[in-house]
Amino acid sequence: MDENLTAEQRDLWQHLTTFSQEKLAPFDAQLSQGQQTSAEAYQLLVNEGLPELGLAKPFGAEASFSEQILVLAAIAQGSVSAAVMLASTWTAAAALSLYGKPAQFAETLQAAKQKPLAIAVTEPDGGGREAIQCSASKQADGSWSLTGDKTLVVNGGQAAAYIVLAKTLRENRLQFVVPADQAGLRALQPVHLAGLPAVPMATLRLNGVQVSKTQLLGYQDQGVTIARHINALARVMSAAISVGIGQRTMAIVKRYTRERVLGKSLLNMDAVVQLQAGELATKLRTSELLTWDAAQQVDQKRDFETAATMAAVTSSQNGVSMVQQASQLMGGVSTTSTLPLTQLMTEAQAITLATGTLTQLTRKIGRQALGVDHWDPLTADQPVAVAKRIQIGSLHQVVKTLRLTEEVPVTVGAIKNAKRIVALGQGAMEPATLLQAQQLAKWIGAAIAVTQPLTKLEQFSVEQLIGIDGATVTPEVIINIGISGAEQYVLGMAGAQHILSVNPDEKAPIFKVSQQAFVGTATDFLTGMIAALN
């Protein structure tokens, strides 16, 4: 991996490998014997300033993802347990930075400088409909009540906060940020995965945990998108930890063959040993390249999901295989404390379990290769998948699916309690467009809402304004016409059950929070909708 690094990254690598070997490795040996605690291990990372590297500014240094991968590989050479705790914290921090508002979760991100964070998304398929065991019940005041268990949560019991995936009765999947001291949340007695005895893994029991809208991560029904994203990031991080295991294994083999004599020469001069070392070096290099490539794809804002899965599969397999080969090469010496390959084997196997089964991950790669996975690209700068596009010809199906011909109670001008809303923005200010929009609203029993620019028009008022300076709405259906999706507006309508948006710009931010997107003019959409209703 060394030749891929900049001068600054090389300095970071050299510093952390020294720190890992001199500070973490001795501490890790004490951890495995129960002489130290995982909290003390994390404190070593805090003292070195490592958690802050994975936190976005202003809470941390906001190191690139490639640099985070570099850190994890270096740390894993001294303590796989410490690397796993750090990776869990960074994965959670990435979810907060990508899908949350800094002000919203400032306290949690500040706490992450001293205490780890945890992801309570334990479903192996990234949050599939059948796998989610935690339910979210909507309350009359707009909050949710969370009930259920989350098993084997890394950093469970010592985290400052947990990111919890839950599903509603309507099968929406939501992510919530839950502080560790929240009423109704309890971490059961931690268990330890074989091979990672220092990593606390606890079951979280949620019993009527009350969470507000401010604790919601992302928008309506984005839970699976968020789970998919952070699981992909976690796979690259676990691949980096496997790389660290491989690098430590290679260092042990190098030292052993350099010091041991076979006949009249050193073991490293033996042709058979050189062949075995070549196989080990090839596996390590393959893991390094795939992991580094996946990390760079994240930094370059490319679709990285397939690369992440490939890196996880290859690195975890190679990690186990390398330790097995090294153990065979060294025989009984490999079980001694000076050459702790037995411990490395259990750690390598534990990382394999953490990334998901080989069959699951390989099948995932196969589905992507065959084009049968219909996920939108997963990139660092577009964390929320673009909504499914709808065309003129499918508007009749939209009317049918959303049951827009069924009558609903209408109170003219009262948007707060409206079941359906037609919201108009700057892209819908033409007189003819406004007339069509009002006709559509009348036909489907919707209230008319607007963004700030339209409140200056005579026919609208501030009572119809959605956003931070206006009303917060939670309709069954909202149709956004000519609205770009500024943050102050989105926050006002994020509680809508179904969001359909219309904008000629396919990159409009409003599409990131919409279930359906019509990329085109307001006139084309409105003409098509009125025809579909007819």
Side-chain angles (χ1 to χ4, degrees), residues 166-373:
K167 68 177 179 181
T168 68
L169 292 176
R170 293 177 177 268
E171 296 295 339
N172 290 331
R173 279 82 78 202
L174 307 172
Q175 298 269 7
F176 296 95
V177 180
V178 184
D181 59 358
Q182 186 104 0
L185 174 67
R186 185 162 63 99
L188 304 185
Q189 183 66 33
V191 297
H192 298 284
L193 193 63
L196 296 174
V199 178
M201 305 185 77
T203 293
L204 286 189
R205 179 149 295 168
L206 298 98
N207 186 13
V209 175
Q210 300 297 310
V211 289
S212 66
K213 185 181 293 186
T214 60
Q215 291 172 259
L216 179 65
L217 197 59
Y219 301 105
Q220 185 76 15
D221 202 26
Q222 290 179 359
V224 169
T225 300
I226 298 172
R228 176 176 158 236
H229 197 153
I230 60 181
N231 281 346
L233 290 175
R235 287 190 193 111
V236 188
M237 291 186 182
S238 68
I241 295 172
S242 292
V243 165
I245 293 173
Q247 289 167 333
R248 187 177 183 189
T249 302
M250 198 70 212
I252 290 172
V253 170
K254 186 176 181 180
R255 186 173 77 244
Y256 175 77
T257 58
R258 187 177 55 209
E259 296 173 350
R260 188 173 178 84
V261 176
L262 179 64
K264 295 182 179 181
S265 60
L266 293 175
L267 191 59
N268 60 11
M269 298 302 294
D270 182 78
V272 175
V273 172
Q274 290 172 352
L275 177 62
Q276 291 174 315
E279 293 174 351
L280 291 174
T282 300
K283 289 177 180 177
L284 176 58
R285 186 61 177 155
T286 302
S287 298
E288 289 177 344
L289 288 173
L290 284 174
T291 303
W292 189 252
D293 177 62
Q296 288 188 312
Q297 287 191 34
V298 175
D299 286 333
Q300 293 165 4
K301 300 178 173 54
R302 293 158 56 196
D303 185 3
F304 68 95
E305 190 168 18
T306 298
T309 309
M310 286 182 175
V313 169
T314 303
S315 298
S316 61
Q317 282 186 296
N318 283 349
V320 172
S321 177
M322 285 183 67
V323 180
Q324 286 175 334
Q325 281 186 259
S327 299
Q328 292 169 1
L329 175 63
M330 289 181 276
V333 181
S334 64
T335 61
T336 64
S337 59
T338 55
L339 298 173
L341 287 180
T342 301
Q343 179 185 340
L344 276 178
M345 175 57 74
T346 56
E347 290 172 339
Q349 291 171 334
I351 295 300
T352 301
L353 292 173
T355 59
T357 68
L358 176 62
T359 300
Q360 285 174 331
L361 295 180
T362 305
R363 181 169 177 263
K364 183 177 181 66
I365 294 172
R367 289 179 62 83
Q368 291 166 334
L370 294 172
V372 295
D373 259 346

Side-chain angles (χ1 to χ4, degrees), residues 64-130:
S64 69
F65 192 69
S66 296
E67 289 169 345
Q68 293 178 44
I69 292 308
L70 202 65
V71 172
L72 291 173
I75 295 303
Q77 292 186 52
S79 173
V80 173
S81 295
V84 169
M85 287 190 284
L86 187 60
S88 177
T89 296
W90 281 353
T91 306
L96 291 171
S97 300
L98 288 167
Y99 297 93
K101 305 296 184 294
Q104 190 176 7
F105 302 113
E107 187 175 341
T108 300
L109 289 168
Q110 187 65 32
K113 292 181 180 182
Q114 299 297 327
K115 297 187 70 175
L117 301 177
I119 300 284
V121 182
T122 55
E123 293 74 17
D125 62 349
R129 203 178 286 266
E130 298 82 7

Side-chain angles (χ1 to χ4, degrees), residues 325-511:
Q325 281 186 259
S327 299
Q328 292 169 1
L329 175 63
M330 289 181 276
V333 181
S334 64
T335 61
T336 64
S337 59
T338 55
L339 298 173
L341 287 180
T342 301
Q343 179 185 340
L344 276 178
M345 175 57 74
T346 56
E347 290 172 339
Q349 291 171 334
I351 295 300
T352 301
L353 292 173
T355 59
T357 68
L358 176 62
T359 300
Q360 285 174 331
L361 295 180
T362 305
R363 181 169 177 263
K364 183 177 181 66
I365 294 172
R367 289 179 62 83
Q368 291 166 334
L370 294 172
V372 295
D373 259 346
H374 300 297
W375 293 109
D376 289 307
L378 196 60
T379 59
D381 66 335
Q382 190 180 28
V384 182
V386 174
K388 180 181 178 181
R389 293 194 183 192
I390 52 176
Q391 309 294 333
I392 291 288
S394 59
L395 291 179
H396 67 284
Q397 186 61 41
V398 172
V399 170
K400 181 179 179 181
T401 302
L402 299 181
R403 300 177 180 177
L404 295 181
T405 57
E406 296 181 8
E407 292 187 6
V408 293
V410 180
T411 305
V412 178
I415 62 173
K416 278 193 173 183
N417 299 318
K419 298 291 185 182
R420 295 172 187 160
I421 292 176
V422 172
L424 307 175
Q426 202 160 3
M429 291 182 71
E430 292 292 328
T433 302
L434 294 177
L435 284 175
Q436 280 186 305
Q438 289 168 332
Q439 182 181 2
L440 172 63
K442 181 179 178 181
W443 282 15
I444 66 173
I448 292 281
V450 296
T451 58
Q452 187 70 50
L454 274 75
T455 59
K456 299 174 183 177
L457 300 181
E458 185 177 349
Q459 62 265 53
F460 303 117
S461 68
V462 293
E463 282 73 25
Q464 293 170 275
L465 176 65
I466 289 178
I468 294 176
D469 298 325
T472 297
V473 298
T474 56
E476 292 178 358
V477 177
I478 184 168
I479 302 175
N480 297 304
I481 302 176
I483 295 173
S484 62
E487 183 178 320
Q488 59 267 29
Y489 172 80
V490 169
L491 288 174
M493 62 99 214
Q497 292 178 25
H498 190 91
I499 302 171
L500 189 162
S501 298
V502 180
N503 199 292
D505 180 5
E506 63 178 7
K507 296 182 180 179
I510 194 68
F511 290 147

Side-chain angles (χ1 to χ4, degrees), residues 137-144 210 474:
S137 303
K138 193 72 174 284
Q139 307 297 293
D141 61 358
S143 65
W144 287 268
Q210 300 297 310
T474 56

